[in-house]
Amino acid sequence: MRFRLIVVCAIIALMNILPAHAAAKEEVVFWYGATQDEQAAYEQMIAEFNRTHADILVRGMLVPQRYVERKLMLSVSGGAPPDVVRFYTHLGGEMMSRGGLEPLSGLVARDKFDLSDFYPVGIEQNTYKGRLYGIPWILSPNALFYNKALFRKAGLDPNHPPKTWKELEEYAMKLTVRDKNGNVEQVGYANFLNNPADFHMYLWQSGGNPLSADLKHPNFTSPEGIGVLTWMQDFLIKEMGTMKPGISHAQASADAVRKLQTFNSSFVGATQDPFGLGKVAMRVDSPFRIPALLKYFPNLDIGVAAAPYSKVRAVEVVGNSLVIPKGSRHKEAAWEFIKFASTRKQSLGICKVAGRIPARISAATWPEFYNNPLVKPFVDQIKYGRTTPVAPGYREVSDALAGSIEMALKGQQTPKAALDNAAEKGSKILYEANEDPNLHPKIPWKATAIISGLVLLLAIAAVCCYTARETRHSRAARREAMNFYLFLSPWLIGFIVLTFGSIAASLVFSFSKWDTLSPARFIGLDNFINLFTNDPRFMKALGNTLYYAAFSIPLAMIGGLAISVLMNQKLRGISIFRTIYYLPAVVSGVATAILWQWIFNPGTGILNKLLALVMKTPPGWLIDPDWSKPAFIIMGLWAIGGTMIIYLAGLQGIPGELYEASRIDGASAWQRFRNVTLPLLTPTIFYQLIVGTMAAFQFFLPAYIMTDGGPQDSTLFYSLYLFRNGFEWMKIGYASAMAWVLLAIVMVITIIQFKFANRWVYYEGEKES
């Protein structure tokens, strides 16, 4: 008994001691983005930190880099941010300017943290208005990749890659290969589409700068900017060989872009990298491509050299830094982890696997790392490195710039006109982003909550009064009404608790300016006025959506009805065909988008291969503004099985006696369909019309995955543009205004549909008027 008592007491003591010991560890949440190959290096670094720091426990969380800024902004505004984040510094302008990151200048000074061992461009990327917000960790400077085997084949010296723009043009013309029909089989140099990063690099190399010194005005329309875009256009025409007798310069430019886009669309994913396959001879790219190239193309004879330049040696350097989000509960522990992760040993451990360059000079120049011939050129380029302007609003400016570059390269605008347009849009964006927030009053949330609550109570009271008045003469009616609200109560409670507050907040936000990080400020009707008077992309998005709805809804309704009639036949094995037709409706939207992206590929897609049998030049589909929306309409027919099922249910609800009577009367199949099926199916058709309209106006996922709104905003649908404003550019107030405008449009259309429904919808059992 004594022994048992001793054991029980020991267990109780351990149970009390161990949790206390575990609780003493301060937990730090670390967000990082990594490939599958890189993840092990991160886990090893975290494990080593936890082993060497008894009082801190770091928990790593893998977050895709594409979504890290969006998730971080929402987590900061929601009051539950992580403690340390591997952050894209070119996105930092929004976060730093709006107070989304903790300034680290004080911690650096307190601990005498040596910043002199970090590249200046890395420090610049993390500095806003003289304050440091992140410790540079990883850099990705650009350099020239070139295929030595293709150089030898073209009679070029593989040990002497091009150093100037003039040499780059000469090499590119020799390395570009076209077939007898003029189609490109091998591209000499592949950095000429609407990527703003490439334009920035060329602009710097010409002696220009994207923004003014105060970061408030674009400098795209400088002589250097116009010269760069003109050079890009002419280079592309020469490389693609589209300038022919009788063809205008604008048409030659459009043909060149189409050829290059068609060529690029044939290669998807790391295993189909055109450079690795020997289809691209030269391109300017980042070091993170190296691991994938070596992994999937082990026989590739790759060379890396400094990027060719015009007047000034300059390349863009994209950086990743370690930051502490605003509101971190473990700031000191997070700072300890940052100091550990940014040491030479740890940053080298990550960069060796990730194919990147440490931001710490002593790590980047470490002989074991630096002497690699595929690494050294990147390290040497950093001293010429420039960074994307760290300015609030510049992400949206870059988006406008990309659209203008595309217009110029396609010959739809002159380089000067295109850049004038980009500069005008950019100036407005930067002005709004840098506007003094104190010009507008803060939203009084307490008063707003009280008013919203009163509105809700008045609505409930009105419903109660109406129900009491309508049922005052009948106990049975009162009991029926009570049962109705009793069964409806789960939805009502959910709406009041979970939905009503969001709807009320969205309405308030639509009259405000809010970016989730700083307080929402009341601006009246400015958002709605700007939508209809100062935002051409809003009208473009609305027009795209109306176009899609006008064609997709009738096609889906007619197609679904036709297939449902066929599937309603009493034949052996008909259930198998019904299943086959319905399956596409339950396939993941992402999987469907990727599948159709392959089908619509202008070069290798199965659709164009079939069309090539009857057409000389099949459509460009997703890369052609004239065919991109029809492509999505055609794709929508893929999931017509969902519509078919609803129609099938309606068809099977039609009494068979009516068909039998019509046959006895001598009615043909068409007459039976027209006079029996259609009238009795009108409630189902009306339901499909309402649901289809709502779905068409919310069309989003395929466009987001397949085209991201391009080309030339031809697939910038309403919901996609709303999403960009709200969750990419963090203009929540503007996006809320768009949401309410969409609600109004759909509501008006639905009211009109219901207004005319009594003229053609027949409900069996309804009393004749």
Side-chain angles (χ1 to χ4, degrees):
M1 287 296 296
R2 290 194 192 95
F3 176 75
R4 291 178 182 176
L5 184 61
I6 292 171
V7 170
V8 170
C9 291
I11 292 173
I12 293 173
L14 285 173
M15 290 175 64
N16 288 324
I17 292 170
L18 290 178
H21 176 71
K25 283 208 170 199
E26 192 171 4
E27 289 194 10
V28 171
V29 178
F30 172 42
W31 283 7
Y32 65 93
T35 65
Q36 187 174 4
D37 295 333
E38 298 168 9
Q39 191 170 357
Y42 280 90
E43 291 174 351
Q44 183 179 352
M45 179 186 71
I46 293 170
E48 185 171 348
F49 178 85
N50 290 336
R51 182 177 57 81
T52 56
H53 293 72
D55 56 340
I56 302 174
L57 177 66
V58 173
R59 297 190 182 278
M61 183 178 294
L62 185 64
V63 177
Q65 287 293 103
R66 181 179 181 182
Y67 307 113
V68 67
E69 184 202 22
R70 194 177 308 147
K71 290 175 67 69
L72 182 58
M73 280 192 168
L74 295 176
S75 67
V76 170
S77 61
D83 299 296
V84 182
V85 179
R86 174 194 164 185
F87 193 69
Y88 272 151
T89 50
H90 70 278
L91 306 176
E94 307 294 334
M95 296 292 290
M96 290 186 280
S97 64
R98 290 169 169 79
L101 303 178
E102 291 281 358
L104 303 182
S105 304
L107 294 172
V108 168
R110 185 196 69 187
D111 294 353
K112 298 180 181 179
F113 186 77
D114 185 13
L115 294 177
S116 64
D117 194 28
F118 292 87
Y119 285 102
V121 66
I123 300 297
E124 181 186 351
Q125 290 172 341
N126 290 279
T127 303
Y128 181 75
K129 290 188 175 180
R131 304 182 79 182
L132 185 72
Y133 288 87
I135 299 301
W137 195 34
I138 294 171
L139 298 178
S140 292
N142 284 333
L144 180 71
F145 289 42
Y146 65 99
N147 189 315
K148 293 183 178 181
L150 296 181
F151 268 50
R152 295 188 192 97
K153 187 177 179 180
L156 297 170
D157 186 350
N159 296 318
H160 291 85
K163 296 181 179 179
T164 64
W165 284 7
K166 182 179 180 181
E167 291 181 353
L168 181 65
E169 288 187 54
E170 294 173 357
Y171 280 46
M173 302 314 153
K174 292 179 180 180
L175 290 163
T176 300
V177 178
R178 292 181 287 273
D179 62 17
K180 60 182 180 180
N181 296 321
N183 297 318
V184 177
E185 293 182 339
Q186 177 182 302
V187 171
Y189 181 65
N191 288 79
F192 283 126
L193 283 179
N194 61 330
N195 185 357
D198 290 335
F199 179 81
H200 289 157
M201 181 181 68
Y202 302 138
L203 183 57
W204 287 320
Q205 292 176 348
S206 296
N209 209 5
L211 287 186
S212 59
D214 60 1
L215 303 180
K216 294 183 179 180
H217 304 286
N219 279 340
F220 308 144
T221 54
S222 64
E224 293 84 2
I226 297 171
V228 162
L229 191 50
T230 303
W231 173 74
M232 292 172 64
Q233 186 182 43
D234 293 341
F235 193 138
L236 188 57
I237 290 173
K238 293 177 186 177
E239 189 175 30
M240 296 294 107
T242 53
M243 180 57 77
K244 299 175 182 178
I247 294 181
S248 66
H249 188 272
Q251 184 59 49
S253 187
D255 292 343
V257 170
R258 177 186 170 86
K259 280 190 174 184
L260 185 56
Q261 287 179 329
T262 303
F263 173 84
N264 288 338
S265 64
S266 302
F267 309 98
V268 180
T271 58
Q272 291 292 306
D273 189 314
F275 182 81
L277 293 171
K279 297 298 183 181
V280 168
M282 299 181 294
R283 76 178 179 203
V284 172
D285 214 330
S286 298
F288 69 84
R289 303 286 188 189
I290 297 289
L293 289 172
L294 296 179
K295 178 179 179 180
Y296 297 116
F297 310 98
N299 298 321
L300 179 65
D301 193 1
I302 180 176
V304 179
Y309 65 97
S310 174
K311 298 177 182 178
V312 179
R313 293 195 65 174
V315 294
E316 182 174 46
V317 176
V318 176
N320 288 179
S321 58
L322 296 173
V323 301
I324 300 177
K326 192 73 172 179
S328 168
R329 295 180 177 87
H330 310 285
K331 185 176 176 181
E332 289 293 336
W335 172 240
E336 287 300 318
F337 178 68
I338 289 176
K339 290 192 293 184
F340 174 84
S342 61
T343 60
R344 183 183 64 198
K345 177 184 175 182
Q346 299 304 326
S347 57
L348 272 175
I350 296 295
C351 290
K352 285 178 181 178
V353 179
R356 290 173 171 84
I357 309 301
R360 187 180 281 275
I361 299 172
S362 60
T365 56
W366 190 253
E368 183 184 344
F369 180 78
Y370 177 73
N371 291 333
N372 185 333
L374 297 181
V375 172
K376 186 177 183 298
F378 290 107
V379 177
D380 293 341
Q381 288 280 91
I382 297 178
K383 60 185 176 183
Y384 307 112
R386 305 285 184 93
T387 182
T388 301
V390 183
Y394 195 76
R395 283 188 67 195
E396 191 177 352
V397 174
S398 292
D399 189 77
L401 175 61
S404 295
I405 293 173
E406 185 176 12
M407 294 287 283
L409 292 180
K410 288 187 173 181
Q412 297 174 350
Q413 287 184 345
T414 65
K416 185 179 185 308
L419 292 177
D420 281 341
N421 188 31
E424 182 181 356
K425 292 179 180 177
S427 294
K428 293 179 181 178
I429 295 167
L430 293 173
Y431 174 79
E432 290 182 8
N434 289 280
E435 186 180 33
D436 183 3
N438 295 318
L439 294 176
H440 307 288
K442 293 181 181 180
I443 297 292
W445 285 111
K446 289 184 179 180
T448 302
I450 293 172
I451 293 172
S452 299
L454 290 175
V455 169
L456 181 62
L457 290 174
L458 287 173
I460 294 172
V463 171
C464 292
C465 291
Y466 174 79
T467 304
R469 188 185 66 186
E470 294 295 316
T471 60
R472 64 182 183 275
H473 299 302
S474 171
R475 182 177 297 176
R478 191 179 303 112
R479 188 183 302 112
E480 184 178 356
M482 291 178 64
N483 289 334
F484 166 76
Y485 287 113
L486 180 63
F487 282 106
L488 194 62
S489 60
W491 180 88
L492 284 173
I493 294 171
F495 174 80
I496 293 171
V497 174
L498 302 175
T499 307
F500 176 76
S502 302
I503 293 174
S506 174
L507 181 61
V508 174
F509 286 142
S510 68
F511 298 101
S512 68
K513 183 178 181 180
W514 187 51
D515 56 16
T516 75
L517 296 176
S518 52
R521 295 183 178 273
F522 181 76
I523 59 173
L525 295 173
D526 285 3
N527 285 331
F528 295 95
I529 294 171
N530 288 333
L531 279 174
F532 291 99
T533 61
N534 296 323
D535 190 354
R537 298 185 80 184
F538 166 76
M539 301 308 297
K540 179 74 172 179
L542 181 59
N544 289 339
T545 306
L546 290 171
Y547 179 101
Y548 175 80
F551 287 95
S552 65
I553 296 172
L555 286 174
M557 293 178 65
I558 295 170
L561 178 58
I563 295 175
S564 64
V565 171
L566 293 175
M567 295 298 106
N568 197 38
Q569 306 302 312
K570 295 180 179 179
L571 300 173
R572 176 181 290 182
I574 193 67
S575 58
I576 297 175
F577 287 97
R578 290 172 182 170
T579 303
I580 292 172
Y581 273 100
Y582 182 68
L583 275 177
V586 297
V587 175
S588 162
V590 175
T592 299
I594 294 173
L595 172 65
W596 278 91
Q597 198 167 18
W598 172 75
I599 291 173
F600 284 129
N601 189 294
T604 60
I606 188 172
L607 183 57
N608 271 13
K609 287 189 178 296
L610 294 174
L611 291 176
L613 301 175
V614 294
M615 297 175 64
K616 183 178 179 181
T617 307
W621 299 115
L622 299 177
I623 66 172
D624 188 338
D626 296 328
W627 284 97
S628 54
K629 285 190 288 293
F632 283 117
I633 293 169
I634 294 170
M635 175 184 166
L637 299 177
W638 162 264
I640 210 170
T643 307
M644 175 203 72
I645 288 294
I646 305 298
Y647 279 127
L648 195 58
L651 287 170
Q652 293 183 351
I654 299 175
E657 297 85 355
L658 298 178
Y659 290 110
E660 187 64 29
S662 62
R663 287 192 188 94
I664 294 172
D665 290 341
S668 64
W670 168 249
Q671 289 173 325
R672 291 197 298 274
F673 176 78
R674 179 181 177 185
N675 298 301
V676 177
T677 304
L678 275 182
L680 295 180
L681 202 61
T682 49
T684 306
I685 296 173
F686 181 60
Y687 168 80
Q688 295 283 30
L689 178 62
I690 297 296
V691 172
T693 301
M694 294 179 180
F697 274 88
Q698 297 179 68
F699 186 73
F700 169 77
L701 184 62
Y704 177 65
I705 294 174
M706 298 168 68
T707 62
D708 198 26
Q712 296 178 18
D713 288 343
S714 60
T715 59
L716 183 65
F717 295 102
Y718 197 100
S719 293
L720 178 57
Y721 189 47
L722 187 154
F723 174 83
R724 279 191 179 178
N725 275 286
F727 297 103
E728 288 186 7
W729 305 326
M730 305 313 294
K731 298 161 67 173
I732 302 294
Y734 199 71
S736 298
M738 287 188 65
W740 282 94
V741 169
L742 178 62
L743 173 66
I745 292 172
V746 174
M747 184 178 292
V748 168
I749 293 174
T750 304
I751 290 172
I752 294 172
Q753 289 170 339
F754 271 96
K755 186 71 176 177
F756 288 93
N758 58 358
R759 299 188 181 185
W760 62 277
V761 179
Y762 168 75
Y763 292 100
E764 190 176 4
E766 188 179 57
K767 292 183 179 180
E768 295 185 3
S769 57

